[in-house]
Amino acid sequence: MIRFTKTEVRDLLISFIVISLSFAILFTGRNLASAIYILPIAMVGVGAGFILHELGHKFASIHFGYWAEYKLWPAGLVIALVSSFFGFVFAAPGAVYTYGNFVSERENGIISISGPIVNIILALIFLGVAVFIYPAAFYSGSLQIAFLVCSLGFSINSYLAVFNLIPVWNLDGSKVLRWNGLIWVITIAIAGIMTYFSMTIGVENIVRAIIGL
């Protein structure tokens, strides 16, 4: 049975707001006025990316019969905000904690990879929508905003996937790598390629290449 405690809902909401603001600061070049302006747009990508990433962990834990609960990390919230002023976001405002008498390495690996996989899928969905609406966005202000939302959604989710798959500290990547090295290589390669292109040529150029413009 899927249950959320009041503390868990509070922690998710606080983390969601802080991580959204951090990415808004990052994508506006540390311009706070512009960051506040695009915050609602960033929230869509982060809302889908961050919240569903954590729910991916939670649902996978429940699938194996464990209790799981998200808890924020206060220091992580501060680090996320501060790091955004230095050109990146240390996106670790908290984590889903799985409680069980014995969680096998395989189960822990599957639980850990579920979050990044959610981000990869979401990034591809955002990219697919961006490709679909791009030709019409030239003639519609609302579709231009939708395209911006999709662009940020692709970039943010790609970044969240590759960041969490880094095999250091207590990030997902370290647990996935211990479980299955091949799966880790494949997933971080996919996430890494997506992030690289979003940060170098940009989402619009990716879309134009896909549709042949």
Side-chain angles (χ1 to χ4, degrees):
M1 181 178 178
I2 300 172
R3 291 183 297 172
F4 295 88
T5 65
K6 291 182 179 179
T7 301
E8 184 177 19
V9 173
R10 180 206 64 190
D11 286 1
L12 281 168
L13 181 60
I14 293 173
S15 299
F16 161 66
I17 293 172
V18 171
I19 205 71
S20 297
L21 180 58
S22 299
F23 275 105
I25 292 171
L26 174 67
F27 282 108
T28 55
R30 301 176 293 280
N31 185 314
L32 289 179
S34 297
I36 297 300
Y37 178 75
I38 75 158
L39 181 58
I41 295 174
M43 280 181 166
V44 176
V46 175
F50 169 72
I51 298 294
L52 293 180
H53 173 104
E54 300 302 338
L55 292 183
H57 292 315
K58 184 179 179 76
F59 294 163
S61 297
I62 293 173
H63 170 75
F64 288 115
Y66 302 117
W67 169 254
E69 182 176 356
Y70 176 83
K71 294 184 179 181
L72 65 77
W73 178 37
L77 298 177
V78 175
I79 294 172
L81 277 174
V82 172
S83 65
S84 67
F85 287 94
F86 291 90
F88 71 101
V89 175
F90 187 84
V96 169
Y97 290 83
T98 299
Y99 301 92
N101 293 327
F102 177 75
V103 181
S104 70
E105 193 170 85
R106 174 182 172 273
E107 291 173 337
N108 199 24
I110 293 173
I111 291 169
S112 298
I113 203 172
S114 60
I117 286 178
V118 166
N119 291 130
I120 290 172
I121 293 172
L122 284 172
L124 293 174
I125 290 173
F126 277 118
L127 182 62
V129 175
V131 169
F132 180 74
I133 68 174
Y134 183 72
F138 290 99
Y139 312 103
S140 171
S142 59
L143 286 181
Q144 289 174 14
I145 295 174
F147 182 80
L148 178 58
V149 170
C150 291
S151 297
L152 287 178
F154 176 80
S155 299
I156 290 172
N157 279 279
S158 299
Y159 177 83
L160 288 174
V162 75
F163 174 82
N164 281 281
L165 283 168
I166 298 173
V168 297
W169 188 46
N170 199 36
L171 294 178
D172 298 329
S174 60
K175 290 167 277 190
V176 175
L177 184 58
R178 285 197 298 268
W179 163 54
N180 192 308
L182 179 60
I183 290 178
W184 175 81
V185 168
I186 293 172
T187 51
I188 197 170
I190 293 172
I193 291 170
M194 292 164 61
T195 302
Y196 173 77
F197 282 119
S198 71
M199 295 177 67
T200 53
I201 68 173
V203 179
E204 184 173 359
N205 286 326
I206 295 173
V207 170
R208 290 174 64 88
I210 292 174
I211 63 180
L213 291 179

